[in-house]
Amino acid sequence: MNAMDIYEILKYLPHRYPFILVDRVVSYEPGERIIAVKNVSINEPYFVGHFPHYPVMPGVLIVEALAQAAALLTLKTENAAKNDAQVYYFVGIDGVRFKKPVMAGDQLVLKVEITRQIKGVWKYTARAEVDDQLVTEAQLMCTARDI
C-alpha cells in the first residue's frame, strides 16, 4: 500500500499554509485512485468568517481539497515531482453536490478516481466523506499548464 505523509505531499504540491488542504495520503494506486485525509480544525482561518457561530467548511474548499488529492494522484501516476514552471488548473467541475455540512472537528476523507486522460486533460470522479457518509461529490477536470 502506497501512502504519503505531509512532508512528501509538500514535495509534490505547490500549495502552502493556509491553502494546503491535504494532510495525509492513506493510499494510492498510480493511474487508478487515491484516498487522502484533511483534518478540519477549529483553527482553520476561514472559520473566523464562515461562520463564527456555526463553523462550516466552505464547499469550494472541499472541492479544492478533492482537486489537490487529484493532483497528487496525477503527479504520482506520471512519476513527476513539483515543477515550479507549471501550475495544475481546474478546467471543469461538473455535478457538484453537497450532501451534508463539514464541521470543525471532522476528518474529511477524500476519494478520487481517474476516469480518463486525453490530451493532457485528466477527468476524475471525486467524493468526500465524513464518518463513512458522503458529504460532497463531483466530476473534476484538470490540466497542467506552463507558467
Side-chain angles (χ1 to χ4, degrees), residues 1 3 9 13 16-17 30 32 39 41 57 60 80 82 103 108 114 126 132 134 147:
M1 173 172 69
I9 290 166
L13 293 181
R16 294 297 180 264
Y17 177 84
E32 298 291 329
N39 294 308
S41 166
M57 185 176 186
V60 295
K82 181 176 74 168
M103 311 297 290
L108 194 60
I114 296 171
D132 295 321
L134 178 66
I147 54 173

Side-chain angles (χ1 to χ4, degrees), residues 62-114:
I62 298 169
V63 175
E64 174 64 25
L66 289 165
Q68 290 182 20
L72 286 166
L73 176 58
T74 299
L75 292 166
K76 282 297 197 176
T77 297
E78 293 188 330
N79 199 25
K82 181 176 74 168
N83 178 349
D84 288 335
Q86 281 191 331
V87 177
Y88 199 68
Y89 287 119
F90 273 128
V91 294
I93 307 169
D94 296 320
V96 178
R97 297 290 180 265
F98 300 103
K99 305 290 188 177
K100 206 176 155 193
V102 175
M103 311 297 290
D106 285 342
Q107 184 175 71
L108 194 60
V109 177
L110 311 164
K111 297 181 177 182
V112 179
E113 292 187 10
I114 296 171

Side-chain angles (χ1 to χ4, degrees), residues 14-30:
H15 307 81
R16 294 297 180 264
Y17 177 84
F19 214 68
I20 187 82
L21 298 174
V22 177
D23 293 321
R24 182 170 48 96
V25 173
V26 176
S27 66
Y28 67 90
E29 296 174 50

Side-chain angles (χ1 to χ4, degrees), residues 48 51 99 131 142:
V48 173
F51 306 99
K99 305 290 188 177
D131 295 328
C142 302

Side-chain angles (χ1 to χ4, degrees), residues 3 14 31 43 56 59 68-69 74 80 101 122 145-146:
N43 296 323
V56 176
Q68 290 182 20
T74 299
W122 296 75
R145 293 286 183 245
D146 292 338

